[in-house]
Amino acid sequence: MAVVDLTMEYIGERVPPETIRMDIPLRSEQTRYTGVVYKFINESMSGSYIDFPGHIAETDNGEYADNFSIERVYRVPASVIRMHCRSGHGAVSGEDLEKAFGGVPSTETLIINALGEFDPRDVENRSVYLDHSAIDWIIASGCRLLMSDIYESQALHGVFPKLFGAGITTVCMPVNLNQLPLPEVKLTVLFSKIPGVTQLPCRIVAEF
């Protein structure tokens, strides 16, 4: 079995995360040692992160980090769709996705590697994106969990409201997608059970 880490390093899109170390002396009659505790200051879009539908207030469906079913993110079969779009490519359509995959996926989890060997940071921001026909195709396929290296356009044309409105949870800013074999892997997405939170950093692993 091969395992690939798909997690981007812990960096913020707007605010760099800050880690504050606190050394806590612990003493008793039996022992003396120093515990190391950390305080984290960061935004929820740090490195790779997961978005539940409630990331948009209008599409909040009551699924949060603390109550989301672990069965939907632990070793789930995921169909891998690969393209080789370059910076400035523009829209990716539903027809493009179906052609790249060779049909319609049968799994409830989709991985879209539209950028091929490129890291999402290697292309102009949002210059490759899913158009409305792609979103309609993803929804019609029965997708419940979507991980992709592209989403919105620079025009902010409404990808996420449609996905979240259909109850689809998204995973953003993955890396190393080009290392995944076609057409299917097992995907695991792990995150802390923070009550009421609809977006937070995550760890992503694929196995095959």
Side-chain angles (χ1 to χ4, degrees), residues 93-108:
S93 69
E95 183 178 353
D96 294 331
L97 295 176
E98 185 163 337
K99 180 179 179 181
F101 188 70
V104 178
S106 59
T107 62
E108 292 187 349

Side-chain angles (χ1 to χ4, degrees), residues 184-200:
E184 189 173 306
V185 298
K186 288 184 177 179
L187 182 69
T188 296
V189 184
L190 299 174
F191 46 86
S192 297
K193 295 178 67 174
I194 304 176
V197 169
T198 59
Q199 180 191 67
L200 73 167

Side-chain angles (χ1 to χ4, degrees), residues 81 83 85 89-98 100 112 114-115 127-135 150-151 157:
I81 303 174
M83 301 175 63
C85 301
H89 173 91
V92 170
S93 69
E95 183 178 353
D96 294 331
L97 295 176
E98 185 163 337
I112 298 176
L115 302 178
S127 67
V128 188
Y129 56 90
L130 299 169
D131 70 11
H132 286 296
S133 71
I135 302 306
I150 62 169
Y151 281 105
H157 64 285

Side-chain angles (χ1 to χ4, degrees), residues 59-116:
T59 55
D60 191 336
N61 64 354
E63 292 181 334
Y64 307 121
D66 59 327
N67 66 9
F68 194 80
S69 173
I70 194 68
E71 289 83 7
R72 290 175 57 188
V73 289
Y74 180 68
R75 302 189 75 228
V76 292
S79 298
V80 181
I81 303 174
R82 176 163 296 127
M83 301 175 63
H84 298 279
C85 301
R86 300 294 187 261
S87 184
H89 173 91
V92 170
S93 69
E95 183 178 353
D96 294 331
L97 295 176
E98 185 163 337
K99 180 179 179 181
F101 188 70
V104 178
S106 59
T107 62
E108 292 187 349
T109 300
L110 299 183
I111 300 174
I112 298 176
N113 175 211
L115 302 178

